[in-house]
């Protein structure tokens, strides 16, 4: 994230939504999460915003995260993928649906939001985030 922040400067804001819903791998407290993010050079405002630990799946998910998932067609883990046919109906972090993309793992999945506020894509690890961001700009 630090390299993307350096490359795009004030044109890019990175929003981090820590969640313990992906294998319980998130650190226990917001303080530990903030210290970890700082150790990895996570950008400071206005280039980076680290939210408190919260839910990103289900009815209690953060409203911003729900909105981004709705805009991209992403589903919660365990949900049936619509309109994907079998065998692409499993909703988990390894899902490779040909009709949808989604952030399936909280550290590696990234929603991309266009400058006008519309959610234009969901990129996962292995995708070229810099290229996708360039296309949005």
């Amino acid at each position: 994230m630090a390299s993307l922040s350096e490359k795009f400067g004030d044109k890019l804001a990175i929003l981090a939504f820590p969640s313990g819903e992906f294998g319980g791998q998130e650190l226990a407290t917001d303080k530990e999460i903030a210290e970890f993010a700082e150790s990895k050079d996570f950008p400071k405002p206005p280039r980076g915003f680290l939210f408190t630990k919260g839910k990103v799946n289900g009815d209690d998910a953060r409203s911003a995260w729900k909105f981004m998932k709705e805009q991209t067609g992403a589903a919660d883990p365990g949900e049936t993928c619509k309109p994907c046919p079998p065998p692409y109906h499993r909703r988990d972090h390894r899902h490779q649906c040909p009709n949808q993309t989604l952030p399936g793992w909280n550290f590696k999945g990234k929603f991309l939001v266009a400058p006008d506020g519309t959610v234009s894509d969901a990129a996962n690890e292995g995708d070229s985030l810099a290229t996708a961001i360039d296309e949005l700009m």
Side-chain angles (χ1 to χ4, degrees), residues 80-134:
T80 301
C81 180
K82 303 172 195 106
C84 296
Y88 302 107
H89 60 278
R90 271 191 40 238
R91 299 306 300 178
D92 63 26
H93 72 276
R94 293 178 185 86
H95 181 71
Q96 297 298 317
C97 174
N99 298 327
Q100 294 177 297
T101 57
L102 76 155
W105 198 253
N106 61 335
F107 282 113
K108 298 179 180 174
K110 315 293 186 261
F111 283 111
L112 302 178
V113 182
D116 67 1
T118 58
V119 182
S120 63
D121 198 3
N124 286 296
E125 181 182 40
D127 294 338
S128 173
L129 287 176
T131 300
I133 294 166
D134 271 331

Side-chain angles (χ1 to χ4, degrees), residues 2 13 27 39 54 68-69 82 85 93 98 110 113 117 122 124 130 135-136:
L27 297 168
S39 77
M68 291 184 287
K69 286 169 61 174
K82 303 172 195 106
H93 72 276
K110 315 293 186 261
V113 182
N124 286 296
E135 290 173 3
L136 290 178

